[in-house]
Structure formats: C-alpha cells, structure tokens
C-alpha cells in the first residue's frame, strides 16, 4: 500500500511537470517565426499532453489499487474481530452452563471452534454460506468459476514447485490448533496390516477382470500415500463418490431411452450413498487431507476418469460395476478399521469436526443408504468416534452393493469369464504368431541369430 501511494505521488508530480512543459512549448510556438519549427514544437507539446493523460490514468489506477488493499485490510481486521467476538461469546456460554450446572460435552472442554485450522482447498463447505432462504446459493457461470479456480490452483502449483519461506496464509496463532495439527500429522497406517485384515476376512466374489485393476489401484495408493493416511483418505473419498454419481446417471439414461425403470428406487439409495461419502470427504478436508496441490490434481482427475470407466463398465454389465464397488468399499472397511485400531489412543484425544458431527446427529439421509436394518445414529465426540462411524458406513456400502448385484448373473459370471479368457487367448495367439515371425526376421537381419533360435524353440 505504501509503495502504491509513493508511485501515485510520483505519477501526479510527473503529470504536473508534463502539463507545465506542454504549456511552455505552446507559449514558445507563438514566438517562433519559422513555421516548420513551430509545427515541431506543437507536436512535442501535444505528445507531452498525451503523456500527462496516460500518467494521470496510471495514478488513478494506483489510487484504486491502494483503496482495494485498504479494503482487504479492513475486511481482515473485521474477520479477526468476529473471531475474537465469537470466542468471547462461547466463553460466556460456558460460564452460563457452569452457573446453571449443565453438564459439559467433550467439545465444550476443547478450545473454541474445536477445529484444526484448515481451509478447504477445493470449493468450500456447503454449511459455510447460506442465502436468505436458508439454502446454499447456485454457483456462478463456468466462465467465472473455472478461471478463478485455475488462478488459485496455478498459485498453489507455483508454491509447490518453489516453496516459500513462509506460507501464503498463516492461521491466527492458536496453540490448541497447532497441537491438533501435529497430533494428526503423527497418525500412522500400516499397509501390511491392512492386507492382513483383508486376507483374514471373507473375500468378495469378483472375477479376475475386476480383481486385476483392483490390486493395481491398491498398490498405487500404498506407494503414493505412504506415511500420509489423511491425504490417502481424502483421495479415496474424492474418488468414492463417483460410482454412485455414475450409477444415477446410467439409471436416468436407461429410463430416458425407455429401456428400464424397475430400479428407480436405487437412485434414491445411490444419492444417499454419495451424500454419505461427501461428508466423509469434508471430514478429511477439515483435517488437512487436501492441503497439497499434487494430491488435489491427482484426485480430481482420477475421479473424472473413474466416472467414465464406471459408465463404460455399467454399459457392459451393471453387475460388474456393482461388484467392483463392493471390492473397493470392502478394502475401505479394512483400511479405516486398521487406522482406528492403530491410532486409538491418539484419536480419542482429538475432537470431531463439526461438519461430520452435524451429519451423524441430524441428517435425514443417514439411514437412507443402508439396505440392511439401519443402525442407530452414532454418538460423535472424538475423532475415534468419527473413524469408527466411517468404518461402519463403508461396511453398509459393501452390503448395499452386494444387494444390488443380481445373484443369477453373478453365478453366470464365472462361465462368462472362462469364455472371455478363451476368446482372448484365441485372439492373442495368432497375433503373437504373426508378429513373432517378423521379430525373428528382424533379429536375423540385425545379426542376432541366437535370439532368433531361442524364439524358434517356442514355435515363434
């Protein structure tokens, strides 16, 4: 702001100088007898006036920028004042509870706000902004939000490539928030223990064509998020919403084409499932799971790709799509169960984020995604309660996906898989044979007959 003000003052002084110089040149023009010299001086005077106008415009722009910075400073001061006021009110409410003898909950014992100091790096939380009707407002045009998101993420990319000595945004000093952040960063998750849990339970009856990409995906997660369980959970929850979105889309498509309408009720179940996964996602964001640019880039693009893969899989066979989701959700049960058991003592000391607490305490869609007898609403006070509830949610998703599979189709899947394997073999063997002959010729031409003989031993 000081630099802008100094630049504006310099521009104003230059405008005055150029205006005065232009006036002096006009006076000299009247005293010059030579027409050519007078015309040249008049052109110089006109150029000086134009420069003065440009500098005046720059000075106005600098003044506006300085005013904008002042407005930002005022807004930040107001925000900090509101935070202070809110904490004072919460302190006063606790004093009133003490005076009335009301029992305190876990959250009232924690520091005001009982959060972890993280801001959503994606697109905010629906509970943060309400309209006069009490509902979240619609988004702006894509031509508005897309450039805005690109600008924000480009800045995050720059900071990821060229780390700054100080973060671009510093949360107000709060020792409780800092202690919670350190406690979350110290949480652990053993990949070997997850696989041991999976090996010890009953396996999902899935064909090899689904198990192969499933194992590849799990191995990828184990390596990319080693030592970063919260970031791993945020990635999983970002992607975990896509199946239900794709299933609803395909059910709508089948209805629109007049192909199938008997599964209309499944749309309601799938929406409730997506809503449940969405709150898992918001929980991981409140714990800082989306803090790194590379994690957000990988998760968002993977989610879009996963959506279209599931759409294609649904077109091929809805039962295969449901079975693959059952595989993923069963792995999520093992992952969350291991995490809760592995960090039980540490999680029990940390508060539950408000967004997930509100969901479990009063959201009407909580029981809608459970095809089995709905379980009672869990009591959420600590992060241990949260992760145990999420573990149970994932188990409910497993049961729901299993209920969506047609058992007759599942029985026929093994025979279909055998037929598919034989068909692929009949297709691949001639191709290998044809191209193998060409490979032998190339090896002989390159002077490597020993490798050609080796391939010939296998009939190629």
């Amino acid at each position: 702001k000081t630099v802008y003000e100094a630049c504006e003052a310099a521009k104003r002084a230059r405008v005055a100088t150029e205006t005065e110089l232009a006036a002096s040149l006009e006076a000299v023009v009247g005293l010059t007898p030579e027409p050519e010299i007078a015309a040249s001086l008049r052109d110089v005077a006109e150029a000086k006036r134009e420069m003065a106008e440009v500098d005046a415009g720059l000075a106005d722009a600098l003044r506006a920028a300085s005013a904008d910075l002042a407005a930002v400073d005022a807004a930040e001061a107001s925000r900090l004042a509101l935070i202070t006021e809110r904490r004072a009110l919460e302190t006063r409410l606790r004093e009133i509870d003490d005076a009335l003898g009301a029992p305190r909950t876990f959250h009232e014992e924690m520091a005001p706000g009982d959060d972890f100091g993280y801001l959503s790096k994606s697109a905010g939380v629906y509970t943060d902004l309400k309209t006069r009707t009490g509902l979240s407002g619609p988004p702006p045009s894509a031509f508005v939000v897309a450039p805005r998101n690109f600008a924000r993420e480009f800045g995050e990319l720059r900071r990821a490539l060229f780390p700054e000595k100080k973060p671009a945004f510093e949360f107000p000093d709060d020792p409780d928030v800092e202690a919670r952040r350190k406690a979350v960063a110290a949480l652990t998750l053993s990949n070997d223990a997850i696989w041991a849990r999976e090996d010890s339970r009953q396996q999902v009856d899935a064909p090899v064509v689904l198990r192969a990409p499933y194992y590849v995906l799990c191995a990828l997660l184990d390596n990319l998020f080693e030592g970063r369980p919260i970031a791993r959970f945020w990635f999983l929850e970002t992607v975990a919403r896509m199946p239900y979105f794709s299933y609803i889309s395909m059910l709508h498509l089948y209805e629109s084409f007049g192909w199938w309408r008997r599964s209309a009720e499944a749309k309601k179940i799938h929406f409730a499932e997506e809503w449940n996964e969405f709150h898992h996602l918001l929980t991981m964001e409140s714990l800082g799971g989306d803090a790194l640019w590379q994690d957000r880039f990988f998760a968002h693009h993977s989610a879009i790709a996963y959506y279209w893969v599931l759409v294609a899989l649904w077109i091929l066979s809805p039962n295969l799509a449901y079975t693959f989701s059952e595989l993923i959700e069963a792995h999520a049960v093992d992952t969350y169960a291991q995490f809760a058991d592995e960090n039980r003592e540490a999680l029990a000391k940390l508060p539950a984020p408000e967004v997930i607490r509100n969901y479990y305490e009063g959201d009407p869609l909580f029981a809608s995604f459970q095809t089995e007898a709905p379980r009672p609403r869990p009591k959420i006070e600590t992060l241990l309660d949260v992760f145990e509830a999420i573990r149970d949610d994932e188990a409910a998703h497993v049961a729901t996906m299993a209920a969506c599979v047609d058992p007759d189709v599942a029985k026929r899947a093994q025979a279909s898989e055998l037929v598919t394997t034989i068909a692929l073999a009949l297709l691949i063997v001639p191709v290998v044979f044809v191209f193998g002959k060409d490979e032998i010729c190339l090896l002989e031409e390159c002077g490597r007959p020993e490798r050609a003989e080796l391939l010939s031993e296998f009939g190629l």
Side-chain angles (χ1 to χ4, degrees), residues 225-244:
F225 297 99
E226 179 70 32
R228 299 190 299 129
I230 301 301
R232 173 176 179 157
F233 294 148
W234 180 81
F235 173 85
L236 285 174
E237 299 299 345
T238 300
V239 175
R241 302 169 58 199
M242 291 299 106
Y244 312 116

Side-chain angles (χ1 to χ4, degrees), residues 140-380:
S141 165
F143 296 101
V144 175
V145 294
R148 182 189 303 166
N149 182 75
F150 179 81
R152 180 178 66 244
E153 292 294 347
F154 184 79
E156 294 287 336
L157 170 61
R158 180 178 56 81
R159 281 188 284 272
L161 296 176
F162 308 102
E164 300 174 355
K165 293 182 179 180
K166 293 184 178 180
F169 174 81
E170 292 185 354
F171 194 83
D173 293 336
D174 190 326
D176 294 323
V177 169
E178 186 63 26
R180 293 174 202 153
R181 284 187 171 188
K182 291 181 179 179
V184 170
L187 299 174
T188 61
L189 179 62
S190 171
N191 294 326
D192 294 337
I194 294 174
W195 286 109
R197 283 178 180 268
E198 180 163 337
D199 293 339
S200 64
R201 63 165 167 80
Q202 183 178 356
Q203 301 298 305
V204 176
D205 188 12
V208 176
V209 70
L210 297 182
R211 286 193 172 276
Y214 163 72
Y215 287 128
V216 171
L217 175 62
C218 292
L220 187 65
L221 293 177
D222 288 348
N223 286 277
L224 287 178
F225 297 99
E226 179 70 32
R228 299 190 299 129
I230 301 301
R232 173 176 179 157
F233 294 148
W234 180 81
F235 173 85
L236 285 174
E237 299 299 345
T238 300
V239 175
R241 302 169 58 199
M242 291 299 106
Y244 312 116
F245 179 32
S246 68
Y247 301 158
I248 293 173
S249 301
M250 296 310 296
L251 287 169
H252 270 290
L253 182 66
Y254 278 40
E255 291 178 8
S256 301
F257 286 163
W259 293 351
W260 188 265
R261 196 179 288 175
R262 300 174 188 174
S263 302
E265 189 176 359
K267 293 185 296 182
K268 180 174 65 175
I269 297 175
H270 292 329
F271 177 77
E273 287 183 289
E274 189 278 333
W275 189 246
N276 175 262
E277 300 284 13
F278 177 54
H279 284 81
H280 296 175
L281 174 67
L282 296 179
T283 301
M284 303 312 157
E285 287 182 359
S286 69
L287 299 177
D290 65 338
L292 297 182
W293 175 86
Q294 55 267 31
D295 291 341
R296 296 195 302 277
F297 181 87
F298 180 46
H300 292 157
H301 290 78
S302 298
I304 299 301
Y306 189 41
Y307 170 83
W308 288 109
V309 168
L310 289 170
V311 166
L313 190 58
W314 174 282
I315 294 174
L316 178 64
S317 170
N319 287 277
L320 284 178
Y322 282 132
T323 302
F324 189 71
S325 292
E326 186 181 356
L327 272 173
I328 298 297
E329 298 293 1
H331 185 74
V333 175
D334 298 328
T335 303
Y336 281 117
Q338 177 60 34
F339 182 75
D341 292 344
E342 192 171 322
N343 302 277
R344 182 167 296 274
E345 183 177 350
L347 292 173
K349 297 178 182 179
L350 295 170
E354 182 180 4
V355 65
I356 194 66
R357 203 167 66 240
N358 293 339
Y359 170 76
Y360 283 124
E361 290 176 356
D363 197 292
L365 292 178
F366 170 69
S368 299
F369 72 93
Q370 305 175 55
T371 53
E372 296 181 340
R375 71 183 193 273
R377 292 184 180 273
K379 184 180 180 182
I380 303 299

Side-chain angles (χ1 to χ4, degrees), residues 41-119:
L41 292 174
R42 191 175 293 106
D43 291 339
V44 174
E46 184 63 25
K48 289 297 181 182
R49 287 196 184 90
E50 292 177 356
M51 292 179 62
E53 291 177 359
V54 172
D55 287 336
L58 290 174
D60 293 339
L62 288 168
R63 174 173 293 180
S66 179
D68 289 341
L69 287 175
V72 170
D73 290 341
E76 179 66 13
S78 299
R79 187 183 71 85
L80 294 176
L82 287 173
I83 291 175
T84 302
E85 182 179 357
R86 186 197 70 180
R87 293 181 175 179
L89 289 173
E90 290 175 347
T91 301
R92 179 57 179 161
L93 286 173
R94 285 194 292 275
E95 292 174 354
I96 293 174
D97 285 342
D98 289 339
L100 295 176
R104 287 190 177 187
T105 66
F106 178 90
H107 302 286
E108 291 169 340
E109 294 290 348
M110 301 302 293
D114 60 15
D115 57 34
F116 293 80
Y118 290 105
L119 298 176

